[in-house]
Amino acid sequence: MPSTVVLGASWGDEGKAKIVDTLAEKMDVIVRFQGGCNAGHTVVHEDKKFVVHIIPVGILHPQKICIIGNGVVINPYQLIAEIEDLQKQKISFENRLFISSQAHITLPIHTYLDEMNEKKRSKNAIGTTKSGIGPTYAEKSSRSGIRISDLLDSKYLSARIDNIINSKKELLSDWIDKNDVKKMKMDLINIGKKIEKSIVDTPILINRFLDENKDILFEGAQGTLLDIDFGSYPFVTSSNASIGGAITGSGINPKKINKIIGVMKAYFTRVGNGPFPTELKGKIGNFIREKGQEFGATTGRPRKCGWFDLAATKYSSMINGFDEIALTKLDIYSGLKEIKICTHYEIDGEKIDYFPNRIQQLEKAVPKFISLPSWNEEISDIRKYSNLPKNAKIFIETLEKIINLPITIISVGPEKNQTIFRNKN
Ligand code: IMP
């Protein structure tokens, strides 16, 4: 398949990184297309644990080309830190990391504003990762943003930074008092020099690779329910974490997308604030969190855990046009008595079998469940679908039937080989 897109079907943290890492072996190029350092992609690669925030997971595969697309917002300091950290681990970047000249950058100002905005929101805080994501995308939309290519032009860069600071003087007064703007400009120019060779016109590069029949994997960050348009607004991120983001964030000719894989966890999690209809607050939620190690890779925050939400998943599948599903963390359910699946909500007494777009409705959504028996056996060593416990197969086949999509990849542990492939297509 020349081009495959991997997207999160829920509120992020679905285990996309492991799926991307697994699929990357057969790919030539891996592209990130939205989000920024808010993402924390954890993979266990050759027995070592790696967490990358901005560089595509494919970088761990020595022969693969990695591209940071125009839709990503890049914190230049973190980019350099990540490159240097991976270099220490003997990962080479020569001729295989390309960064879009059109990608916007997150300045320390944006990180500061993210924190200040959250403070001001007080009890209505979004629970952002405080990585400056919202303020950077706002700057981009206001046409006052700074793009990666601007790091190569000191005069232009300086004028753009002055423009941002002048337009936000009051908001930034504290920050201006404590920070040396001249030094920040110098640091950014030095970073520009370090990455100059990697800065290219990525839409041209990506479409050229497609013409050359290279296999390209588009690696999504966050998830559809955090999408700025389709998610649980305002408790969302600031980019399109659904299929549209893959197109606008990379410049791929949409007709050339061959396959869209939705990644879903066997249960749901959410980090940050906002409604979560199937949340489990007691013992079972704690069991899932501890066994599934559900703690944020970027912030360390404990993730809220809950039952699988089919109403939300069907909506996500509709928006993204998933062709197939990768189901992760099935092994976490071993040892529970029963598994519940939310099939629909009741809102003001009405049956709703989709994800409501008004936050007021989502807040009132009462989840309605079906219950399935779980299994006791640990399944992390199973590699063949037929060897899974009967109840695990019933769970999978129930999801498939209701979502009306094949579950072709099943992850039963963090290691790459802890994966069951079912070739339905
Ligand atoms: P922001 O993207 O940092 O602005 O955060 C907005 C919302 O998205 C918050 O609820 C975050 O917790 C959530 N979020 C952002 N990135 C991720 C992610 O990679 N995984 C899960 N949640 C995320």
Side-chain angles (χ1 to χ4, degrees):
M1 276 289 171
S3 73
T4 302
V5 183
V6 172
L7 297 170
S10 48
W11 278 293
D13 307 320
E14 296 91 351
K16 295 177 292 296
K18 170 180 164 174
I19 300 302
V20 168
D21 190 38
T22 308
L23 298 174
E25 280 180 8
K26 293 198 179 116
M27 299 286 164
D28 301 303
V29 182
I30 293 93
V31 182
R32 267 275 314 258
F33 53 82
Q34 45 74 230
C37 289
N38 48 351
H41 289 160
T42 310
V43 279
V44 180
H45 188 87
E46 290 168 5
D47 293 335
K48 268 207 230 154
K49 186 173 162 182
F50 293 86
V51 182
V52 284
H53 298 276
I54 194 104
I55 295 174
V57 169
I59 204 74
L60 305 175
H61 298 254
Q63 308 306 324
K64 314 292 171 184
I65 289 171
C66 291
I67 298 177
I68 302 178
N70 57 282
V72 178
V73 288
I74 302 174
N75 178 325
Y77 301 88
Q78 292 216 16
L79 173 69
I80 288 295
E82 206 161 286
I83 290 176
E84 289 175 354
D85 189 43
L86 289 168
Q87 275 170 337
K88 273 189 214 139
Q89 306 189 58
K90 307 268 176 284
I91 287 168
S92 94
F93 286 83
E94 195 84 9
N95 286 328
R96 64 187 208 93
L97 177 69
F98 296 102
I99 304 166
S100 173
S101 54
Q102 293 154 301
H104 280 245
I105 67 165
T106 297
L107 293 170
I109 292 166
H110 299 122
T111 318
Y112 171 79
L113 287 174
D114 196 0
E115 248 178 71
M116 289 304 114
N117 291 342
E118 281 289 86
K119 256 194 204 150
K120 276 190 235 153
R121 286 181 193 120
S122 175
K123 66 176 184 12
N124 297 318
I126 292 163
T128 74
T129 58
K130 299 194 177 128
S131 328
I133 303 298
T136 310
Y137 279 113
E139 206 79 77
K140 175 178 178 178
S141 297
S142 306
R143 275 74 44 93
S144 47
I146 296 177
R147 310 208 290 188
I148 277 284
S149 52
D150 301 338
L151 299 181
L152 307 178
D153 182 337
S154 57
K155 226 167 143 191
Y156 186 73
L157 175 72
S158 175
R160 297 289 288 181
I161 291 176
D162 290 344
N163 178 48
I164 291 178
I165 293 178
N166 288 334
S167 67
K168 299 179 179 37
K169 250 195 179 131
E170 274 177 33
L171 289 173
L172 290 175
S173 63
D174 253 16
W175 185 89
I176 293 167
D177 282 351
K178 291 186 193 131
N179 287 277
D180 182 345
V181 176
K182 216 166 150 191
K183 181 174 180 307
M184 180 179 82
K185 289 178 181 173
M186 284 309 299
D187 288 344
L188 290 170
I189 289 162
N190 285 333
I191 293 175
K193 283 183 189 147
K194 284 189 189 170
I195 58 171
E196 186 167 3
K197 278 201 212 141
S198 298
I199 302 175
V200 295
D201 191 340
T202 49
I204 302 282
L205 189 66
I206 290 168
N207 285 286
R208 203 184 73 212
F209 283 149
L210 284 169
D211 289 343
E212 290 168 0
N213 265 330
K214 289 213 172 6
D215 289 316
I216 308 192
L217 185 68
F218 292 83
E219 173 187 342
Q222 290 85 48
T224 306
L225 305 183
L226 286 172
D227 184 281
I228 181 84
D229 286 285
F230 303 114
S232 48
Y233 193 89
F235 299 100
V236 291
T237 190
S238 302
S239 66
N240 285 114
S242 58
I243 187 65
I247 300 163
T248 56
S250 72
I252 183 178
N253 173 341
K255 290 181 189 148
K256 293 193 176 165
I257 295 175
N258 300 99
K259 194 193 265 189
I260 306 169
I261 302 178
V263 186
M264 300 169 186
K265 209 150 46 178
Y267 47 89
F268 264 43
T269 58
R270 178 159 205 182
V271 63
N273 301 332
F276 179 7
T278 64
E279 183 178 359
L280 283 159
K281 288 194 169 132
K283 248 167 68 188
I284 301 176
N286 292 339
F287 171 89
I288 293 175
R289 182 164 34 256
E290 289 305 321
K291 190 166 178 197
Q293 280 302 292
E294 296 295 348
F295 298 91
T298 302
T299 58
R301 292 180 291 180
R303 297 176 186 142
K304 295 173 233 169
C305 299
W307 295 122
F308 193 95
D309 186 338
L310 265 174
T313 303
K314 277 196 293 183
Y315 171 82
S316 175
S317 173
M318 176 191 81
I319 297 288
N320 292 307
F322 293 144
D323 294 299
E324 52 189 75
I325 302 299
L327 187 74
T328 62
K329 295 219 170 170
L330 185 67
D331 52 305
I332 305 307
Y333 275 151
S334 298
L336 277 183
K337 269 208 184 80
E338 66 166 352
I339 301 173
K340 287 189 181 179
I341 300 174
C342 163
T343 51
H344 62 278
Y345 312 120
E346 240 177 55
I347 303 176
D348 294 332
E350 205 187 323
K351 179 179 171 182
I352 303 283
D353 64 355
Y354 54 85
F355 190 73
N357 66 23
R358 287 182 58 216
I359 201 75
Q360 295 90 331
Q361 278 191 306
L362 192 61
E363 270 160 358
K364 286 193 282 187
V366 180
K368 296 291 163 184
F369 297 104
I370 53 169
S371 170
L372 298 175
S374 186
W375 54 92
N376 267 325
E377 308 90 304
E378 290 301 334
I379 58 171
S380 296
D381 292 332
I382 294 179
R383 301 289 175 268
K384 266 171 102 179
Y385 185 73
S386 55
N387 292 342
L388 281 173
K390 186 172 133 239
N391 288 345
K393 285 190 271 194
I394 290 176
F395 172 68
I396 289 164
E397 285 159 31
T398 305
L399 295 185
E400 278 185 318
K401 208 164 146 196
I402 307 181
I403 312 168
N404 198 21
L405 283 174
I407 296 178
T408 52
I409 304 173
I410 299 160
S411 170
V412 290
E415 305 276 346
K416 211 175 344 181
N417 70 350
Q418 292 177 304
T419 309
I420 299 170
F421 290 95
R422 288 165 85 210
N423 294 321
K424 286 218 155 178
N425 284 339

